[in-house]
Amino acid sequence: MTRFPVHFEPLSPEQLADPYPLYAKLRREAPVFYDEAHDLWVVTRYDDVLAVVRDTETFSSENAVRASVKPLPQPVLDVLATGWPLTPTLTDSDGKVHKRLRLLVSKAFTPKRIAAMEGQIRETVDALIDEFVDDGRADIIEKFAWNLPMFAITDILNVPREDVPALHRWSVSWLRIMQATDSVEELVVHAEDVVAMQRYFVNALEARVDQEGDDFMSNLLGARVADGEPLKLEEAMRVLVNLIIAGHVTVTRSIGNGLTTLLAHPDQLQVVLHDPTLIQAMAEEILRYESPAQGLFRTVRKDSVLNGVEIPAGARLMVHWASANRDEKAFDNPDTFDVTRESMATHVAFGRGIHTCLGAPLARLQLKIALPRLFERLPNLRVVVGEDTAVRDTIFFARGFKKLEIEWDVTDALTV
Ligand code: HEM
């Protein structure tokens, strides 16, 4: 077992501010690191991360989004028991169960459906900016960064936009349950939200049973594959919950991370604004440089050896996408933000292997449209200087802002 004097605490103020020096130290000196405090093996090198996600028999996706698998407190379990089991979903299933789910969901969540969203996403971006463009100042997370991906995914799912605030609140509660660090009282409220979200989608799906609809939920219920049963209503509900949550919290973070990264590198921002052919590369580089999903989890099925380190069966392991994306063996000058780098497509911000992000094309489309448009419509955009204007969210495995106050120059030309 590697013992190494490092304090791995993603929620500490220092690591929330800048975790990258720690990742570099781990990659150099303890690439497969056992963190006693969290009872977690942290895998930080690019090649090791790939080795783990490719060996799905040894490294199971069970509890892939749970930092700790300690049982939840009984009052929380009691509330959750009034709903439906939280798993299996795409993200935390293995083998045949995952394959069937992924095939069925892919029948409805098609590249064609995503590509058709472009015009709608452009309209949503402008409509959201219209709401605050005259104000000269806004919390861009609240006013834009979570609304955009929520509208994008709920438009695909054909969910009324007035339900979006509730869906957002329920999604945040779901993440807090996965993290399980809040007080029991708070977790009970989050559990009630999770059950409310389940009920919401069960009702929406029930309304579509035996109907000849052609929207996403109807397609999902109607999806068939050669060697598998169609989705049961409860399974389809879990897919929808999974898509709503995975589909927005990550994009929200990348918008905030993208803005702050571009503002911290004005030369790179100018390069992109003067050469739109670099917009795709900009999106990839933001995802590499400041990965919204810093790492996710695997459960070790059998005694194994990873990069010379023995890991026992039953252990929990964190595959660290963000560290892999800064690995000097995989990227030249990994700590340099460079929108012209050649190896951009090799980043692992969307994961890799059978669980590779299903929504990557949708996420990319939103980033490519939203970020340049914000700079175009909000002249001299900058982060407000002051205390508490840029507040990071406190989710163990994610990196992004809960609040990000920006300001810009308001001129008469903006209001016409
Ligand atoms: C920048 C935005 C996003 C990032 C960084 C991101 C990141 C990831 C990562 C790292 C995984 C792999 C999980 C693992 O291996 O355990 C994943 C899976 C997944 N993502 Fe995303 N994601 C983003 C956006 C989206 C969007 C927009 C959607 C849907 C609308 C989505 C839906 C999913 C789903 C359903 C999975 C599970 C796939 C499977 O297990 O087969 N994601 N995502």
Side-chain angles (χ1 to χ4, degrees):
M1 182 178 294
T2 309
R3 291 203 180 273
F4 189 67
V6 151
H7 179 56
F8 179 74
E9 186 39 85
L11 303 185
S12 68
E14 310 78 56
Q15 286 171 41
L16 278 177
D18 182 8
Y20 298 104
L22 173 75
Y23 302 163
K25 188 175 169 63
L26 287 175
R27 277 195 310 276
R28 239 180 1 252
E29 299 174 32
V32 181
F33 164 66
Y34 179 65
D35 176 53
E36 240 172 272
H38 300 97
D39 191 14
L40 194 63
W41 295 78
V42 188
V43 180
T44 47
R45 282 193 190 162
Y46 186 88
D47 286 348
D48 293 340
V49 163
L50 288 192
V52 169
V53 296
R54 283 178 180 150
D55 183 357
T56 53
E57 294 219 340
T58 307
F59 304 106
S60 157
S61 276
E62 188 184 350
N63 288 315
V65 277
R66 289 188 66 188
S68 158
V69 285
K70 279 193 218 121
L72 288 161
Q74 195 55 46
V76 181
L77 291 175
D78 290 345
V79 175
L80 290 176
T82 62
W84 292 261
L86 299 179
T87 61
T89 67
L90 270 173
T91 324
D92 53 29
S93 57
D94 294 317
K96 282 188 189 154
V97 176
H98 173 262
K99 191 173 172 199
R100 168 176 166 267
L101 284 175
R102 179 112 185 178
L103 281 172
L104 285 164
V105 177
S106 304
K107 293 262 167 191
F109 203 80
T110 55
K112 198 170 147 209
R113 206 186 276 266
I114 306 305
M117 293 294 293
E118 179 162 351
Q120 220 165 324
I121 290 174
R122 283 189 193 285
E123 276 172 30
T124 304
V125 165
D126 273 325
L128 286 169
I129 299 176
D130 285 346
E131 299 269 315
F132 56 76
V133 65
D134 294 334
D135 300 345
R137 177 174 173 150
D139 173 359
I140 199 69
I141 303 299
E142 187 205 335
K143 298 281 184 193
F144 185 84
W146 75 256
N147 291 289
L148 172 67
M150 256 320 230
F151 288 158
I153 186 69
T154 50
D155 284 354
I156 291 178
L157 268 48
N158 195 14
V159 166
R161 283 202 173 178
E162 63 262 29
D163 297 342
V164 159
L167 286 162
H168 175 60
R169 199 185 67 243
W170 296 337
S171 302
V172 172
S173 286
W174 185 92
L175 277 178
R176 302 304 310 179
I177 290 278
M178 290 300 123
Q179 170 143 310
T181 47
D182 297 333
S183 69
V184 177
E185 293 73 26
E186 286 167 322
L187 286 172
V188 163
V189 175
H190 297 325
E192 284 163 359
D193 280 349
V194 168
V195 174
M197 190 174 192
Q198 291 182 322
R199 270 204 201 103
Y200 176 90
F201 282 119
V202 164
N203 291 341
L205 286 160
E206 273 172 355
R208 284 160 172 92
V209 173
D210 299 330
Q211 302 293 317
E212 301 260 309
D214 188 31
D215 69 354
F216 182 87
M217 290 194 220
S218 307
N219 290 168
L220 195 61
L221 287 172
R224 300 286 184 271
V225 283
D227 55 352
E229 290 287 306
L231 289 173
K232 296 185 191 67
L233 199 119
E234 178 187 323
E235 292 176 315
M237 174 273 286
R238 276 195 289 270
V239 168
L240 298 172
V241 170
N242 199 186
L243 286 176
I244 287 276
I245 297 167
H248 92 282
V249 296
T250 42
V251 180
T252 305
R253 290 179 212 296
S254 356
I255 292 172
N257 292 347
L259 285 176
T260 49
T261 303
L262 289 165
L263 289 169
H265 300 87
D267 55 322
Q268 296 293 303
L269 174 60
Q270 287 315 315
V271 169
V272 178
L273 294 179
H274 287 108
D275 181 359
T277 63
L278 287 172
I279 288 174
Q280 165 85 43
M282 171 208 70
E284 304 301 336
E285 182 65 351
I286 288 168
L287 291 162
R288 181 195 72 81
Y289 189 78
E290 280 280 33
S291 308
Q294 293 267 294
L296 286 170
F297 307 96
R298 296 294 187 267
T299 299
V300 183
R301 286 277 179 245
K302 53 185 185 231
D303 292 348
S304 21
V305 178
L306 185 64
N307 199 352
V309 178
E310 288 176 15
I311 305 181
R316 296 271 300 151
L317 186 152
M318 182 175 193
V319 269
H320 214 296
W321 320 117
S323 172
N325 282 337
R326 296 280 192 119
D327 188 337
E328 29 295 284
K329 294 210 178 87
F331 302 94
D332 294 336
N333 303 317
D335 293 328
T336 304
F337 178 71
D338 177 3
V339 296
T340 61
R341 77 169 56 244
E342 277 170 13
S343 52
M344 63 172 187
T346 55
H347 72 73
V348 286
F350 289 118
R352 198 59 78 79
I354 61 166
H355 289 279
T356 301
C357 180
L358 193 70
L362 180 62
R364 289 184 161 117
L365 188 59
Q366 293 178 78
L367 292 179
K368 283 190 307 191
I369 296 173
L371 289 167
R373 194 69 177 142
L374 284 167
F375 283 103
E376 213 172 285
R377 292 200 58 196
L378 309 177
N380 193 17
L381 190 167
R382 56 210 179 260
V383 176
V384 176
V385 180
E387 262 184 46
D388 293 340
T389 53
V391 181
R392 289 209 172 266
D393 201 356
T394 50
I395 296 289
F396 190 87
F397 54 84
R399 182 161 172 80
F401 292 94
K402 189 160 66 182
K403 175 178 163 195
L404 184 63
E405 294 272 351
I406 58 162
E407 56 186 354
W408 58 93
D409 300 341
V410 179
T411 64
D412 289 346
L414 295 175
T415 57
V416 281

